[in-house]
Amino acid sequence: MGKTMAEKIFQAHNGGKEVKTGEIVFANVDLVMGTDATVPLAIGEFEKIGKAVFDPAKVVLVQDHFVPARDTNTANLSNQMRQFARKHGITHHVEVGRGGICHHYVPDSGLCNPGDLIIGADSHTTTYGAFGALGTGVGSTDFAAAMATGRLWFKVPPAIKVVLTGKKKKYVQGKDIILKLISMIGVDGAAYKSLEFTGPSLKHLDMADRITICNMAVEAGAKAGIFEVDDVTADYFKKYHKKKDILRLKADADAEYVQEIPISISDLEPLVAEPYLPSKVKGVKELQEIAVDQVFIGSCTNGRMEDMRQAAKILSKRRVHPDVRLIVIPGTYAILEEMAEEGIMETFIAAGASVQSPTCGPCCGGHTGILGDDEVCLSTSNRNFVGRMGSPSSRVYLANPAVAAASAVAGKIIHPEDLCNE
Amino acid sequence: MSNILMGRALRYGDDINTDVIIPTKYSNTTDPKELGKYCLINLDPLFQERKQLGDILVVGKNFGCGSSREHAPLAIKGAGISCVIANSFARIFFRNAIDMGLPVIESPEIVEETTDLNDLEINFESFICRNVSTGKQYSIPQYPEVIQKIFLAGGLINYLTRSE
């Protein structure tokens, strides 16, 4: 019987010993990642185990959720993480001003390769599937245990095969593909399973699209979202990391799936998820006329250079609506630099956007754009739960960066073509 | 953890996420008691007044979806909740609960037949849950072996420090 991508990765990390779907294995991990939102809680648990860090070069600690600190408490939590990193000689402790959002920083620093098994104390660790790795989110205690032992228990997940066909229309992005999928299967439709992406469309999906799709795999409950490794992946590793030989991870032709979902992306229009679930999806045209107070472009879902370019194209020679605050947060400082070099920074500033330091910002209600009572935000991030970005009476809609930029200009949710064809 | 829990059922619905269990603005501490004060505040502003020590949350599907922040199960523990019974759990929340020794039971049958404020008795030796108010008994699905060991050790860290 052939193997899915998840089975292949777990087998390789189980000493090559045969694994079966549903089986619980203790697997070796390639990387253990945590943030200032989760590491402080892990420190006490880690100290109880009384061991050194299993490999200081394989532990990545990123300051991204609450930095620059928003209050004394979060400053103290960040400091705990700094002291911990120094004490244990952690090679990759990433400060604000130097890294960015963990899920952009990790792959862009060459810390994530096809076939890797990565655990992160952040639910959106599923992002690493864009690079052919199995990334999965865990809590602080699992993180502490893996940091001490380099291993963790996992149930080998059943897999859902998602076959993508066709080519995206203008203004359609990875965000629309994943919103479509979540709307089809629901917020627990992939619970405990891996979502494995394949099909003839892959050659049309850049790394930014794949990052968005894998990032939000967890919004359907998935343990992991994994793209098969193709020439697009290979080009990324060649360009950014000078790597010519990468593992061309693919499922076997006779691998067993619990479900197969075909999606023709040619038929997709830009989509929007309404409050308060990412599965409540409508076409953008059905939601036009909803006025917005704030637009947020960024996050681990849509903070890539490609996302910034999309937004800038629409904002060029336009102004943000007087009643709207547009907050733009690129994923990393490297992206921020690229924005400056390409003149995109000027475009955002001229349009009246507030461009912020690469962090998680308002996505989880951390800082830099918290919503007040009854406010409406259109966000390119991944969750629109009650009170996620601030007041429990605020409402968050999710959409791609092109829709977000167009809506910031129009002051209401709008299809980019309706703005750009005016 | 005691092997027999007794408490009142507090009934809530589907897809209760971690941001609702404990909003980020209160997650700037790791103190369970402090977190417990704001548990479920965005779902039921009266939760703090309603709850009593040892109450059992009985909820719908996909409980704990969202963030991996362990502040969520910690807030539930800090609020004095002794156990969560759900139709289904989100994966990370389930792991986190087991890891920190918060009992979690997946049982659509119990959820369906339990009403708000029913008295429940849960026995983790016999793996029987009894609804004292209705007199009905249910068997609790057992965890897979590894999870069972972690759970009985009182959490992952206890399990690791004892077994290695």
Side-chain angles (χ1 to χ4, degrees):
Chain A
M1 180 53 70
K3 299 221 170 289
T4 64
M5 289 190 273
E7 285 170 331
K8 285 186 182 185
I9 291 176
F10 278 114
Q11 182 155 321
H13 292 80
N14 190 35
K17 222 168 76 192
E18 186 81 11
V19 301
K20 286 197 295 277
T21 287
E23 182 187 353
I24 290 179
V25 296
F26 270 89
N28 297 313
V29 295
D30 295 301
L31 200 72
V32 182
M33 194 279 302
T35 74
D36 50 322
T38 49
V39 175
L41 202 50
I43 292 173
E45 299 305 309
F46 178 81
E47 306 285 356
K48 278 187 215 159
I49 304 172
K51 281 190 167 190
V53 169
F54 85 105
D55 183 345
K58 289 185 176 175
V59 175
V60 184
L61 305 182
V62 184
Q63 303 269 4
D64 62 5
H65 275 65
F66 301 116
V67 287
R70 70 154 202 244
D71 56 24
T72 313
N73 279 1
T74 52
N76 288 339
L77 292 174
S78 271
N79 281 338
Q80 265 185 39
M81 181 158 127
R82 291 185 180 106
Q83 284 152 12
F84 179 83
R86 281 177 208 136
K87 181 175 163 190
H88 292 276
I90 308 280
T91 318
H92 305 282
H93 169 244
V94 189
E95 274 293 359
V96 64
R98 276 151 272 181
I101 305 175
C102 57
H103 303 311
H104 296 300
Y105 173 82
V106 165
D108 286 355
S109 303
L111 294 167
C112 153
N113 291 291
D116 280 358
L117 176 61
I118 299 178
I119 63 133
D122 187 280
S123 58
H124 293 108
T125 305
T126 52
T127 309
Y128 309 145
F131 304 88
L134 194 148
T136 193
V138 296
S140 298
T141 307
D142 276 330
F143 168 81
M147 202 163 47
T149 64
R151 305 170 77 220
L152 201 61
W153 68 270
F154 301 91
K155 195 169 179 178
V156 181
I160 297 175
K161 183 182 190 178
V162 183
V163 184
L164 303 173
T165 57
K167 213 175 157 185
K168 291 178 294 174
K169 287 184 205 159
K170 196 178 179 185
Y171 302 124
V172 169
Q173 293 177 248
K175 182 61 144 265
D176 307 297
I177 299 171
I178 189 65
L179 286 179
K180 176 71 185 170
L181 178 61
I182 299 168
S183 74
M184 289 165 76
I185 64 176
V187 287
D188 62 348
Y192 297 91
K193 302 184 180 79
S194 70
L195 283 169
E196 306 205 351
F197 296 93
T198 182
S201 298
L202 261 52
K203 60 177 176 290
H204 304 302
L205 299 182
D206 60 26
M207 294 315 283
D209 286 324
R210 296 173 190 215
I211 284 170
T212 308
I213 292 169
C214 290
N215 176 280
M216 289 187 71
V218 72
E219 306 313 327
K223 178 176 207 147
I226 316 172
F227 267 77
E228 107 186 358
V229 177
D230 63 0
D231 290 343
V232 176
T233 339
D235 289 347
Y236 167 88
F237 280 98
K238 211 152 94 192
K239 184 175 170 197
Y240 288 95
H241 306 305
K242 314 273 176 280
K243 280 182 190 160
K244 282 188 189 139
D245 294 317
I246 54 163
L247 176 72
R248 290 275 182 158
L249 182 76
K250 275 185 176 55
D252 292 328
D254 58 344
E256 205 174 323
Y257 295 92
V258 287
Q259 198 179 349
E260 189 169 323
I261 302 172
I263 298 179
S264 162
I265 63 174
S266 317
D267 304 334
L268 291 182
E269 287 292 332
L271 300 171
V272 178
E274 290 183 280
Y276 291 103
L277 284 177
S279 57
K280 277 188 73 184
V281 172
K282 285 191 175 145
V284 66
K285 298 231 174 192
E286 292 175 74
L287 291 168
Q288 306 221 69
E289 303 306 321
I290 291 178
V292 295
D293 300 295
Q294 179 171 300
V295 171
F296 168 44
I297 299 175
S299 85
C300 58
T301 315
N302 277 111
R304 301 300 288 184
M305 193 58 200
E306 291 86 339
D307 298 314
M308 298 297 142
R309 282 193 197 112
Q310 276 280 349
K313 231 186 262 174
I314 288 167
L315 288 166
S316 176
K317 301 192 175 59
R318 293 193 172 90
R319 295 276 303 166
V320 171
H321 190 279
D323 297 338
V324 176
R325 289 109 48 192
L326 171 61
I327 295 169
V328 177
I329 308 187
T332 64
Y333 285 87
I335 296 172
L336 188 64
E337 271 179 53
E338 221 175 322
M339 281 163 62
E341 281 163 18
E342 279 190 23
I344 283 179
M345 196 68 167
E346 286 169 15
T347 306
F348 282 129
I349 294 168
S354 159
V355 183
Q356 299 286 330
S357 149
T359 63
C360 302
C363 167
C364 61
H367 57 101
T368 321
I370 305 298
L371 299 175
D373 295 341
D374 303 321
E375 285 199 308
V376 174
C377 178
L378 180 66
S379 173
T380 65
S381 59
N382 39 42
R383 286 186 181 137
N384 54 354
F385 298 155
V386 176
R388 166 89 174 167
M389 286 175 70
S391 166
S393 66
S394 64
R395 286 178 296 141
V396 177
Y397 292 81
L398 306 175
N400 76 37
V403 173
S407 303
V409 172
K412 59 184 185 182
I413 295 178
I414 192 171
H415 193 304
E417 73 185 14
D418 290 342
L419 181 86
C420 299
N421 294 342
E422 265 175 5
Chain B
M1 189 197 92
S2 152
N3 284 332
I4 298 173
L5 304 175
M6 290 185 72
R8 303 176 315 164
L10 299 180
R11 274 298 264 122
Y12 292 100
D14 292 338
D15 300 317
I16 294 171
N17 63 70
T18 49
D19 285 286
V20 160
I21 296 169
I22 183 74
T24 309
K25 68 174 163 181
Y26 305 114
S27 300
N28 60 357
T29 171
T30 54
D31 176 11
K33 284 232 156 56
E34 193 57 28
L35 290 166
K37 283 187 202 165
Y38 306 102
C39 185
L40 293 174
I41 191 168
N42 282 353
L43 176 74
D44 178 3
L46 298 176
F47 181 74
Q48 292 298 323
E49 292 163 37
R50 287 189 75 204
K51 69 164 177 76
Q52 290 175 11
L53 193 67
D55 279 349
I56 294 162
L57 287 180
V58 181
V59 294
K61 70 172 180 75
N62 202 28
F63 184 81
C65 56
S67 162
S68 66
R69 289 191 290 278
E70 255 171 45
H71 303 79
L74 206 56
I76 292 172
K77 276 183 92 168
I81 299 299
S82 65
C83 177
V84 186
I85 306 178
N87 266 323
S88 61
F89 289 94
R91 185 195 140 255
I92 303 173
F93 182 90
F94 183 86
R95 278 189 87 107
N96 287 348
I98 294 289
D99 281 351
M100 63 165 53
L102 170 70
V104 279
I105 298 171
E106 215 166 57
S107 171
E109 197 191 359
I110 301 177
V111 172
E112 193 177 318
E113 297 179 1
T114 303
T115 48
D116 201 42
L117 302 180
N118 275 173
D119 287 311
L120 302 179
E121 184 186 279
I122 301 167
N123 188 324
F124 282 108
E125 266 162 25
S126 58
F127 274 80
I128 297 283
C129 168
R130 196 162 68 90
N131 186 325
V132 181
S133 307
T134 64
K136 191 154 176 197
Q137 295 212 128
Y138 307 86
S139 55
I140 301 169
Q142 298 232 15
Y143 305 124
E145 198 187 333
V146 174
I147 301 176
Q148 180 87 352
K149 283 184 185 162
I150 295 169
F151 176 69
L152 291 175
L156 182 64
I157 302 302
N158 281 348
Y159 171 75
L160 284 178
T161 48
R162 277 184 211 171
S163 65
E164 292 192 12

